[in-house]
Amino acid sequence: MQLCKLIVISSEKVQVIQCRSENPASFVVRPAGLAEEDALNALYLRLEWYDKDLLHYAVCAVKEFSDGSLALSPISDVKRDESEQFHIIDTYETVEFRHVHESELADYKQKTDNINRRFRNSLTAQVKNLLSEESVTNQYIFKLLLQIDGKLDELLAHKLDSSIDGLYECRLLAMSGAGLIFTTDKAVPGDCFFIQSTPKYTSNFIFAALCRAKEVINAPAGVIVISDFAHLDETSRDSIVHFVFEKEREKLKRIRANV
């Protein structure tokens, strides 16, 4: 049996489902933990597998789901990708975004770098790096410092908001080291967006990035955008990769605990 992966996107969530198959190219797989209703009601399904270290993937539709076996029908050509691959995790954070015209790219690249640099050098980021290496008592003290610094970050977030016009709220559905999946009212492939996560909405992970729409999925309310990073410094990308890895590890621990 070969391992493969199914990306399942609905209007409310993104699921990354691990699957097994005698031959993924046959588009018959056994998904782990996928509800039949989620498969049948999905707006987007993409099957991914490796053959000789080369990623293969195709957008699919459900043909049949019975006895734990899912038969898919490809609705796109099978594509092959030699570029670096990244883990993807689902998330349900609120972030802020703005459509960026090509003439504004240079300005927003600078804004992105400034925001990432500022939060990377903040007290919160530095304390989080120290937490795992400290005693329980010191961890408690550091967590108090995080709460204090979180209030300062909220003030900073309001200052950042005032410096960027035309920001709107949207839902971040998934993230990886390659890009983001988020909702918006309208978009077409090739559109560029500035996206920032701020302490106003989350304390989990703060970042800013320029993203370019790769695929756009029609949803009951607006669209879902699958994007690649158009501008993100390597240090911030490494931080996202680390964040995704940690979340994936936590998810696996919960799954194992419930087995």
Side-chain angles (χ1 to χ4, degrees):
M1 297 286 280
Q2 291 180 245
L3 292 176
C4 50
K5 183 165 57 179
L6 188 65
I7 310 297
V8 183
I9 300 179
S10 69
S11 58
E12 296 296 326
K13 60 186 176 180
V14 173
Q15 297 179 78
V16 183
I17 306 296
Q18 302 301 321
C19 307
R20 293 181 179 274
S21 175
E22 294 287 350
N23 176 19
S26 70
F27 294 96
V28 177
V29 300
R30 297 191 68 83
L34 176 64
E36 182 175 358
E37 182 181 4
D38 287 343
L40 296 176
N41 295 331
L43 299 173
Y44 178 93
L45 293 164
R46 186 174 77 205
L47 183 65
E48 300 182 352
W49 71 94
Y50 279 91
D51 186 3
K52 298 179 180 179
D53 296 325
L54 185 65
L55 177 69
H56 292 60
Y57 61 96
V59 180
C60 303
V62 175
K63 184 186 294 183
E64 184 181 7
F65 198 156
S66 63
D67 298 325
S69 183
L70 176 62
L72 299 166
S73 176
I75 56 176
S76 76
D77 294 334
V78 175
K79 299 180 182 179
R80 296 161 181 80
D81 196 337
E82 295 179 336
S83 62
E84 184 179 3
Q85 299 303 309
F86 297 93
H87 287 291
I88 180 174
I89 59 164
D90 59 303
T91 180
Y92 303 100
E93 303 287 356
T94 297
V95 294
E96 295 172 316
F97 80 103
R98 181 189 188 279
H99 185 273
V100 176
H101 297 286
E102 296 297 322
S103 61
E104 302 175 298
L105 284 179
D107 181 36
Y108 275 85
K109 286 179 180 179
Q110 187 64 50
K111 290 180 185 292
T112 296
D113 290 341
N114 289 343
I115 291 170
N116 286 330
R117 191 180 303 112
R118 190 173 300 172
F119 280 110
R120 188 160 57 238
N121 295 331
S122 70
L123 176 61
T124 299
Q126 295 178 51
V127 170
K128 284 182 178 179
N129 290 334
L130 293 172
L131 269 176
S132 60
E133 302 174 5
E134 293 296 328
S135 66
V136 174
T137 300
N138 285 350
Q139 285 189 21
Y140 178 74
I141 295 172
F142 280 138
K143 286 177 180 178
L144 287 177
L145 289 174
L146 285 176
Q147 292 179 16
I148 296 170
D149 195 56
K151 296 300 181 182
L152 296 175
D153 279 347
E154 287 183 19
L155 296 175
L156 176 59
H158 287 300
K159 182 178 179 182
L160 289 174
D161 290 349
S162 63
S163 67
I164 300 176
D165 296 327
L167 288 177
Y168 299 92
E169 294 180 0
C170 71
R171 291 185 62 202
L172 182 63
L173 298 178
M175 65 190 303
S176 75
L180 308 175
I181 300 177
F182 57 94
T183 62
T184 185
D185 291 335
K186 57 182 179 180
V188 296
D191 280 355
C192 196
F193 296 88
F194 169 82
I195 292 181
Q196 68 173 17
S197 167
T198 72
K200 186 166 66 175
Y201 300 108
T202 178
S203 59
N204 289 332
F205 188 68
I206 309 302
F207 71 95
L210 280 177
C211 297
R212 191 172 294 279
K214 184 178 180 181
E215 297 182 64
V216 176
I217 305 163
N218 290 324
V223 296
I224 297 170
V225 178
I226 301 176
S227 71
D228 290 334
F229 289 125
H231 181 75
L232 183 69
D233 65 271
E234 285 304 313
T235 302
S236 296
R237 186 191 295 268
D238 289 344
S239 296
I240 289 177
V241 170
H242 178 73
F243 177 77
V244 168
F245 175 77
E246 288 299 319
K247 289 298 182 183
E248 182 68 16
R249 188 168 65 173
E250 291 173 10
K251 181 179 179 181
L252 289 174
K253 283 182 179 178
R254 289 195 300 269
I255 292 173
R256 289 168 184 162
N258 293 327
V259 172

